[in-house]
Amino acid sequence: MPSYWLWLAILGISWTAAIIHTSITPQHLIGTAAFFALFFISALYKRRETIFTMILASAAIITTLTLWPEPLTEPNPHTLFIYSLILGKAVLHVPKWYAGMLGVLLLGVALAPTMLGYPSLSAVFLILYFSMVGLGFIAFYHYYNSHKEVTARNEALLSEYRKVKRQVAASEHLVRQEERTQIARDIHDSVGHKLTALLMQIEVSRLKADVQTASDLLKLKELAKESLDETRSAVKTLKQDEVGGISAIMNLIRKLESENFLRIQFSLKPGAFSAALSNEQMITVYRAIQEALTNMMRHSGGREVSITFEAPAGEVFRFEVTNPLKEERPYTEGFGLKSMRERVENVSGQLEIFQGNRQFVVRGTLPIQDRKEG
């Protein structure tokens, strides 16, 4: 979009100068409108090089006819600048042979008034001018394509680097998960089974014991049962694949910063770090931050993002992900945002998604567990 306004500004100045040099007539205005229409319509055919070149050639002919010199007037030098812009656009978007043919056509239409006896710049000057412009564009063409190739190679290398890094991270995660699963299996097979056997033996002994001993054995049984429940809970946690917590979010931020060159400003306000959130709530916060950052990278095209954690009055925990927008546009909640909202609401929280002051904001509020239960 910025290039469009740049082209429009340059062409507007060039045509204004060219028309002012002559007497303005309806023919000039119609020709100018036709040129602008062709010039910008050509952008729709960048991938169809023949049509693109023909449209630019038509724009060159219309320029010549519109600014055709009148007898006994001064030659119009601004026409040459418009020809140069047309040739420059061709160099940017079509192969060199197409651009070369268009350059020959432009030289021909520039020489036409001279050959037909109308006021114009000398043929020698025009040939030298187009020769110099042609050499300049050839040099630019080689530099531009070389830069494009280098950029493409860098992008390919960067993409490969990110792919390898993701594979390494996935492998590490898999190894950690296998270790956790093995530890959980060992605890379940050893401690869990032994506690279960102990419970059965205590129960058998309790049934055979007198009243006082049975009462003592019942206390031992309750203690063993609590130990078994805690062991099962630990095994369940170890098997759980989900991650959460401030440290996990910090790792996520570091990973996204290194892989995607994001600039993330992370603010942890007093009380937020020690907020008593359940494991499920922390996982929800982690997933929400992950989805908000992914959504930002996918749709905003920006690299700046701000993440804030706070716990106002110790009653609720609040996270907020903010990224600046170039322009505010209507949006609809896709699968990712809807899933994020459902996750937050499943842990009794609320999610707000809105735009304002050229910023896109995702804000979640969760009840702090201790206060809620107290």
Side-chain angles (χ1 to χ4, degrees):
M1 187 59 75
S3 63
Y4 167 79
W5 292 109
L6 181 63
W7 277 108
L8 184 63
I10 295 174
L11 288 172
I13 294 171
S14 305
W15 272 92
T16 302
I19 291 179
I20 289 176
H21 189 85
T22 64
S23 55
I24 301 176
T25 65
Q27 176 191 348
H28 289 132
L29 297 179
I30 293 172
T32 302
F35 171 85
F36 274 80
L38 286 172
F39 193 87
F40 288 105
I41 285 176
S42 67
L44 302 175
Y45 296 94
K46 285 180 182 177
R47 296 184 179 180
R48 303 178 68 176
E49 296 157 350
T50 303
I51 297 177
F52 183 83
T53 307
M54 291 175 64
I55 292 175
L56 290 184
S58 301
I61 293 171
I62 286 177
T63 301
T64 304
L65 295 176
T66 304
L67 301 176
W68 189 265
E70 297 175 0
L72 304 178
T73 59
E74 292 290 329
N76 192 342
H78 306 291
T79 310
L80 287 181
F81 192 69
I82 297 172
Y83 290 154
S84 302
L85 292 175
I86 295 173
L87 185 58
K89 192 173 180 67
V91 168
L92 282 175
H93 300 295
V94 297
K96 55 185 177 184
W97 294 112
Y98 285 87
M101 287 190 292
L102 185 62
V104 172
L105 173 67
L106 287 168
L107 176 60
V109 295
L111 288 172
T114 304
M115 292 186 291
L116 296 176
Y118 283 85
S120 178
L121 299 171
S122 72
V124 175
F125 173 81
L126 290 173
I127 292 172
L128 284 175
Y129 177 82
F130 275 94
S131 299
M132 296 300 293
V133 170
L135 289 174
F137 278 134
I138 289 172
F140 173 77
Y141 179 84
H142 287 289
Y143 169 77
Y144 181 72
N145 282 285
S146 173
H147 178 71
K148 279 176 64 178
E149 290 176 4
V150 171
T151 303
R153 280 200 298 272
N154 288 342
E155 288 291 332
L157 288 172
L158 185 60
S159 175
E160 188 64 23
Y161 165 75
R162 290 172 177 167
K163 182 180 177 182
V164 171
K165 200 167 182 177
R166 281 195 295 272
Q167 289 175 344
V168 171
S171 299
E172 290 177 351
H173 176 74
L174 182 60
V175 170
R176 285 198 300 272
Q177 189 58 34
E178 288 176 351
E179 289 175 348
R180 290 160 62 94
T181 304
Q182 183 60 42
I183 293 170
R185 189 180 297 118
D186 291 343
I187 294 175
H188 178 268
D189 293 344
S190 59
V191 181
H193 286 184
K194 288 178 181 177
L195 284 173
T196 303
L198 178 62
L199 274 171
M200 294 176 65
Q201 290 177 16
I202 293 175
E203 180 62 16
V204 171
S205 301
R206 189 180 68 83
L207 294 174
K208 296 177 181 177
D210 54 44
V211 176
Q212 181 59 42
T213 305
S215 175
D216 294 339
L217 288 173
L218 182 61
K219 293 178 182 176
L220 290 175
K221 181 185 173 184
E222 291 297 326
L223 183 61
K225 189 173 183 302
E226 288 177 7
S227 299
L228 181 60
D229 291 341
E230 290 177 2
T231 301
R232 285 173 175 165
S233 176
V235 169
K236 184 179 178 182
T237 302
L238 282 171
K239 285 183 176 178
Q240 199 167 29
D241 189 39
E242 293 276 31
V243 294
I246 298 294
S247 59
I249 293 172
M250 293 298 294
N251 287 333
L252 172 67
I253 290 173
R254 278 198 290 268
K255 179 183 173 188
L256 292 175
E257 276 189 327
S258 62
E259 286 188 0
N260 300 284
F261 305 108
L262 297 180
R263 291 186 289 275
I264 301 176
Q265 181 180 357
F266 183 56
S267 302
L268 193 62
K269 295 190 177 180
F273 186 76
S274 58
L277 296 178
S278 67
N279 189 47
E280 188 178 5
Q281 285 176 315
M282 287 308 303
I283 291 171
T284 299
V285 174
Y286 176 89
R287 293 301 181 198
I289 298 295
Q290 186 181 43
E291 176 59 31
L293 293 176
T294 303
N295 191 58
M296 184 274 290
M297 289 187 290
R298 188 178 299 162
H299 300 297
S300 79
R303 290 287 181 267
E304 303 282 346
V305 61
S306 173
I307 301 174
T308 304
F309 286 173
E310 59 182 342
E315 296 288 342
V316 295
F317 177 84
R318 182 177 297 150
F319 65 90
E320 185 173 290
V321 182
T322 307
N323 64 279
L325 297 172
K326 293 180 182 176
E327 57 179 339
E328 295 183 12
R329 292 178 296 183
Y331 71 97
T332 55
E333 291 189 13
F335 178 78
L337 292 179
K338 287 179 180 175
S339 298
M340 186 196 305
R341 186 181 295 282
E342 289 173 2
R343 266 187 178 256
V344 172
E345 290 176 352
N346 284 341
V347 291
S348 305
Q350 294 180 340
L351 187 71
E352 302 171 75
I353 302 172
F354 59 92
Q355 299 180 52
N357 299 323
R358 292 198 167 218
Q359 288 189 323
F360 190 84
V361 181
V362 176
R363 180 187 296 157
T365 305
L366 306 175
I368 291 180
Q369 197 175 34
D370 284 351
R371 298 301 178 94
K372 180 188 174 187
E373 292 176 357

